């Protein structure tokens, strides 16, 4: 006989067990540990690579299946999958519709011997693939087909759309929209262990060195590069629609001209001569305008042998255009229109946010009209001093005046302490710092702008503007200097500054001077740093984030990792362990 208390205890235990079973039935399938098969979660990366390589080598030899087939025919746009079939209810299927897609396995889950789930990334879209033996074209090879697949592998899937049934223990409890696979083919194996989805791939230096892994694991990196492409395409279309002609100019020159910067030097063996990688395409583009191409632009690479920091990379992308019979003011209006409409096109509105390295958040409004600041009056207001007249800004007296200001304000300026360098330092400290929303700084002294035309009403100044956003320059433009005599004098002044030790100053470009003697019409010119523009629009304070492959120092970590592995005793796996795996 069983006592009443014992009977109640047993009944309560049965009820508890029944509730647990019911809960387990409703839960989504969890990954099962594979026994003795392809579970490689306990391996370190070196062992994983070795084991995976040997497995793929066996497949290569047997070609059953061939781990590197030549082609897989796709027939579906992944981006439209969820939109097209989102109306499916749990259990709905459309077996008459064949879907063929290729993608990379990001996660895999096993629910028994006859059911597998894969989260596959296809063109940036995550799609669940449900593999059930009773849907397979060849059920007898189901296990063999799936045992060779690992996270990171690129697979081809043939199946039909459907939504899993939450009432079925064989489906996801949320009723996930899926491709119900009939065939799964290994297209390219991944030999390395992918970072886990849980912990991600967050190490900044590793992300830049292995951008391909970064793009696999981080959608934000992919979206940044997509936004960059949209920005470049918009600018190109904007200028094309206004009858500008896109051109290409040389990247190697005998003289590095068109900007104030230190160039990279190279050597041409056959000609036995030094050449410079271009620092700007400006002079060539203006020579095209001399030749009668009245509206030209180039979007391309520039190379400057300068420091690397959060906003500078040795090679970078610019857009420069030159517009005959226009001046700085025409270019200023076009700049406002082009950039503000580009921001709206890429982001959906005129307002964006930018977060600095220190965590300060700027709310940026790109809508025109933009604020304008006159350089010298702006500095006078900020510093509380009266500057010499424009025609005296290049003199030795002004040099002493500027040095005194730097001393009084305790500012350091890198030598040589030319008037142009010291003025630029003051502008950076007192004017650029207030430019959060897009702002034009105009009215530059002539000695700061060797290629800009003199101001038509203010002596000593030139017709030039720079646009700043979030305290950084994004573009530079001016009414072009087209007087060959004045241009030669400007170049000679630059050459004198070079003799004083300024590595960034330009030399006299005789070819360009000669072209001006044939006549350059009144022209407005514009130059914009694409990388920096992308940084502000996509909210990245580091230029490396917006470059597909930023410049990095030599990586010695591989040798260091190998040495560390040997020190802690990580060695190649013994044959017995490999056979067991």
């Amino acid at each position: 006989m069983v006592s009443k208390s014992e009977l109640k205890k047993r009944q309560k235990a049965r009820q508890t067990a029944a509730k647990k079973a019911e809960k387990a039935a409703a839960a989504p399938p969890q990954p099962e540990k594979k026994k003795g098969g392809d579970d490689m979660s306990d391996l370190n990366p070196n062992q994983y690579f070795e084991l995976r390589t040997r497995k793929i080598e066996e497949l290569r030899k047997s070609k059953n299946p061939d781990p590197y087939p030549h082609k897989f025919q796709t027939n579906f746009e992944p981006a439209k999958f969820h939109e097209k079939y989102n109306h499916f209810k749990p259990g709905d299927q459309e077996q008459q519709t064949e879907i063929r897609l290729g993608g990379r396995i990001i996660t895999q889950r096993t629910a028994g011997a006859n059911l597998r789930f894969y989260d596959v990334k296809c063109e940036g879209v995550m799609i669940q693939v449900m593999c059930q033996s009773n849907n397979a074209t060849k059920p007898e090879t189901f296990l063999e087909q799936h045992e060779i697949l690992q996270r990171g592998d690129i697979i081809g899937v043939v199946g039909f759309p459907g939504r899993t049934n939450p009432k079925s223990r064989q489906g996801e409890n949320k009723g996930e929209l899926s491709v119900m696979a009939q065939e799964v083919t290994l297209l390219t194996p991944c030999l390395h262990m992918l970072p886990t989805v849980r912990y991600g791939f967050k190490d900044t230096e590793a992300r830049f060195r292995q951008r391909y892994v970064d793009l696999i694991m981080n959608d934000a990196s992919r979206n940044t590069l997509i936004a960059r492409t949209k920005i470049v395409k918009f600018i190109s279309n904007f200028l094309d629609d206004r009858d500008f002609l896109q051109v290409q100019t040389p990247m190697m020159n005998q003289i590095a001209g068109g900007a104030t910067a230190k160039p990279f030097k190279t050597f041409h063996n056959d000609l036995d001569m030094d050449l410079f990688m271009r620092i700007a395409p400006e002079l060539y583009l203006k020579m095209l305008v001399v030749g009668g191409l009245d509206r030209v632009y180039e979007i391309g690479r520039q190379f400057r042998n300068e420091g690397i920091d959060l906003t500078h990379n040795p090679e970078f992308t610019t857009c420069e255009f030159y517009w005959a019979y226009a001046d700085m003011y025409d270019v200023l209006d076009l700049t406002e229109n082009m950039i503000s409409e580009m921001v709206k096109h890429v982001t959906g509105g005129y307002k964006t946010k930018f977060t600095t390295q220190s965590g300060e958040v700027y709310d940026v409004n790109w809508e025109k009209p933009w604020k304008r600041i006159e350089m010298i009056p702006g500095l006078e207001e900020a510093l509380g001093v009266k500057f010499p007249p424009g025609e005296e800004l290049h003199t030795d007296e002004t040099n002493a005046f500027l040095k005194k200001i730097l001393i009084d304000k305790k500012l350091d300026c890198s030598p040589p302490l030319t008037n142009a360098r010291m003025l630029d330092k003051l502008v950076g400290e007192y004017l650029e710092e207030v430019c959060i929303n897009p702002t034009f700084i105009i009215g530059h002294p002539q000695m700061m702008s060797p290629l800009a035309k003199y101001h038509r009403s203010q002596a000593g100044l030139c017709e030039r503007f720079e646009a700043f956003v979030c305290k950084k320059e994004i573009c530079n433009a001016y009414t072009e200097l087209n007087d060959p005599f004045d241009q030669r004098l400007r170049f000679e002044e630059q050459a004198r500054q070079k003799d004083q030790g300024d590595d960034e100053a330009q030399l006299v470009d005789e070819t360009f001077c000669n072209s001006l003697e044939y006549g350059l019409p009144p022209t407005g010119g514009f130059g914009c740093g694409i990388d920096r523009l992308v940084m502000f629009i996509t909210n990245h304070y580091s230029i490396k984030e917006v470059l597909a492959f930023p410049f990095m120092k030599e990586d010695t970590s591989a040798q260091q990792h190998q040495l560390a592995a040997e020190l802690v005793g990580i060695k190649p796996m013994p044959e017995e362990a490999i056979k067991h795996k």
Side-chain angles (χ1 to χ4, degrees):
M1 293 288 291
V2 180
S3 65
K4 289 184 179 180
S5 60
E6 179 64 22
L7 183 61
K8 287 182 179 180
K9 188 185 294 185
R10 292 182 182 182
Q11 288 175 339
K12 188 174 182 180
R14 283 195 291 269
Q15 290 172 355
T16 302
K19 287 181 179 179
K20 286 183 178 179
E22 184 179 346
K23 187 177 181 181
Q30 298 296 320
E32 289 186 356
K33 278 275 187 179
K34 301 174 186 175
K35 297 180 180 179
D38 282 20
D39 177 29
M40 298 195 285
S41 59
D42 58 338
L43 303 180
N44 66 55
N46 292 342
Q47 293 170 337
Y48 183 98
F49 177 77
E50 184 179 352
L51 182 62
R52 188 75 169 129
T53 301
R54 294 200 181 199
K55 179 67 174 177
I56 298 307
E57 189 59 31
E58 291 173 7
L59 291 177
R60 282 165 59 91
K61 291 177 180 178
S62 67
K63 294 190 176 181
N64 185 29
D66 181 357
Y68 296 97
H70 287 71
K71 180 178 173 61
F72 179 83
Q73 185 66 49
T74 61
N75 68 352
F76 195 75
E77 294 182 48
K80 296 182 179 180
F81 179 72
H82 290 91
E83 178 184 350
K84 187 171 183 178
Y85 298 109
N86 197 47
H87 64 279
F88 277 17
K89 295 178 180 178
D92 284 357
Q93 296 181 351
E94 201 173 277
Q95 296 187 20
Q96 71 277 15
T97 300
E98 181 184 73
I99 289 181
R100 302 177 63 93
L101 59 85
R104 188 183 296 271
I105 299 174
I106 302 300
T107 62
Q108 57 180 345
R109 305 182 296 283
T110 303
N114 298 314
L115 182 60
R116 306 289 172 95
F117 290 94
Y118 300 106
D119 288 324
V120 178
K121 184 175 281 190
C122 320
E123 298 179 18
V125 178
M126 197 74 79
I127 295 177
Q128 177 172 278
V129 176
M130 177 179 173
C131 306
Q132 206 166 7
S133 59
N134 58 10
N135 283 335
T137 305
K138 296 179 180 180
E140 66 277 7
T141 62
F142 183 84
L143 287 176
E144 180 182 345
Q145 188 179 60
H146 289 276
E147 279 182 351
I148 63 173
L149 301 181
Q150 294 290 338
R151 290 184 61 240
D153 288 352
I154 297 174
I155 59 174
V157 178
V158 181
F160 53 87
R163 190 181 288 277
T164 57
N165 193 338
K167 296 179 181 179
S168 169
R169 293 185 62 181
Q170 297 176 336
E172 296 279 68
N173 71 329
K174 293 182 180 179
E176 185 73 20
L177 191 61
S178 308
V179 173
M180 307 300 185
Q182 296 165 305
E183 297 177 25
V184 177
T185 305
L186 176 63
L187 301 180
T188 309
C190 178
L191 303 181
H192 290 278
M193 186 182 292
L194 278 188
T196 63
V197 174
R198 180 178 179 183
Y199 294 106
F201 189 50
K202 299 177 182 178
D203 182 89
T204 303
E205 183 167 344
R207 285 177 46 238
F208 296 149
R209 291 192 184 279
Q210 295 180 288
R211 183 63 94 180
Y212 39 90
V213 181
D214 182 32
L215 292 171
I216 292 170
M217 300 302 301
N218 298 316
D219 287 341
S221 297
R222 176 188 176 89
N223 293 337
T224 295
L225 295 185
I226 291 173
R228 179 192 178 97
T229 298
K230 290 180 179 178
I231 288 169
V232 172
K233 187 179 293 186
F234 180 92
I235 292 173
S236 181
N237 290 339
F238 184 93
L239 295 173
D240 289 344
D241 291 344
R242 286 155 182 79
D243 297 326
F244 282 81
L245 181 68
Q246 186 172 18
V247 297
Q248 294 179 324
T249 60
M251 288 197 174
M252 292 188 297
N253 310 293
Q254 290 179 267
I255 292 178
T260 302
K262 186 176 181 180
F264 283 99
K265 191 175 182 180
T266 186
F267 184 79
H268 193 294
N269 292 330
D270 193 44
L271 297 178
D272 190 29
M273 64 185 299
D274 290 327
L275 293 173
F276 298 96
M277 300 298 291
R278 75 176 182 189
I279 56 176
E282 177 171 344
L283 303 186
Y284 282 109
L285 291 174
K286 286 196 280 194
M287 284 191 275
L288 292 177
V289 178
V290 170
L293 300 180
D294 289 347
R295 301 186 185 200
V296 294
Y297 76 96
E298 181 172 8
I299 299 176
R301 290 287 197 179
Q302 319 307 329
F303 308 88
R304 298 186 182 180
N305 196 359
E306 301 171 343
I308 300 174
D309 57 30
L310 291 175
T311 59
H312 293 88
N313 194 67
E315 57 175 310
F316 57 99
T317 302
T318 65
C319 171
E320 289 201 19
F321 71 74
Y322 293 86
W323 182 5
Y325 310 108
D327 63 9
M328 176 195 84
Y329 303 100
D330 298 311
V331 175
L332 189 147
D333 291 337
L334 188 143
T335 300
E336 278 185 327
N337 287 329
M338 180 172 70
I339 296 181
S340 62
E341 291 308 311
M342 181 265 292
V343 172
K344 184 178 181 182
H345 172 78
V346 173
T347 68
Y350 292 110
K351 295 181 179 180
T352 62
K353 289 187 180 294
F354 180 74
T355 307
T356 67
Q357 186 182 19
S358 62
E360 188 176 2
V361 178
Y362 298 145
D363 292 310
V364 185
N365 185 355
W366 300 80
E367 191 171 7
K368 63 175 186 180
W370 296 357
K371 183 179 178 181
R372 305 180 186 188
I373 299 176
E374 292 276 355
M375 180 182 288
I376 299 303
L379 285 175
E380 289 178 337
E381 182 179 351
L383 294 168
V385 297
K386 182 68 176 176
F387 274 66
E391 61 268 24
E392 298 178 13
L393 289 174
H394 68 286
T395 63
D396 292 338
E397 290 76 13
T398 300
N399 185 275
F401 169 81
L402 294 172
K403 284 179 179 176
K404 184 177 185 304
I405 292 178
L406 292 178
I407 293 171
D408 292 343
K409 298 299 181 180
K410 299 179 180 179
L411 297 176
D412 291 325
C413 179
S414 58
L417 296 183
T418 61
N419 295 16
R421 276 181 172 271
M422 290 188 284
L423 264 176
D424 189 59
K425 179 67 177 180
L426 293 174
V427 170
E429 291 289 332
Y430 292 97
L431 299 186
E432 295 174 15
E433 283 295 307
V434 300
C435 300
I436 304 300
N437 286 330
T439 303
F440 293 115
I441 295 179
I442 59 180
H444 296 61
Q446 285 185 24
M447 83 306 196
M448 295 180 72
S449 313
L451 297 171
K453 194 163 187 174
Y454 64 86
H455 199 286
R456 67 193 74 178
S457 61
Q458 299 182 50
L461 303 186
C462 61
E463 294 193 352
R464 174 186 177 188
F465 72 77
E466 293 176 288
F468 289 83
V469 175
C470 300
K471 306 181 182 180
K472 299 292 183 181
E473 178 195 346
I474 57 170
C475 67
N476 183 24
Y478 29 82
T479 304
E480 299 296 332
L481 180 62
N482 61 346
D483 181 340
F485 303 103
D486 194 358
Q487 179 64 80
R488 183 175 291 278
L489 291 174
R490 304 277 190 94
F491 277 153
E492 289 173 353
E493 172 61 26
Q494 284 278 298
R496 280 193 290 272
Q497 292 183 19
K498 197 171 191 67
D499 291 339
Q500 295 174 14
D502 190 347
D503 290 336
E504 297 182 351
Q506 300 178 53
L507 294 171
V508 178
D509 190 323
E510 292 293 347
T511 301
F512 178 66
C513 288
N514 185 59
S515 73
L516 290 186
E517 293 170 3
Y518 282 86
L520 173 69
T523 299
F526 165 95
C528 173
I530 297 294
D531 311 295
R532 198 173 287 183
L533 195 59
V534 177
M535 286 169 58
F536 296 126
I537 294 173
T538 60
N539 192 14
H540 289 298
Y541 62 79
S542 172
I543 193 173
K544 286 183 170 66
E545 294 285 359
V546 304
L547 300 174
F549 298 100
F551 182 82
M552 304 290 289
K553 293 181 180 179
E554 182 183 2
D555 182 17
T556 59
S557 60
Q559 296 91 325
Q560 292 172 351
H561 290 167
Q562 181 62 34
L563 178 60
E566 292 173 0
L567 289 174
V568 299
I570 297 178
K571 299 177 180 178
M573 296 181 69
E575 290 293 331
E576 297 77 15
I578 292 174
K579 290 176 181 177
H580 174 71
K581 286 287 180 183

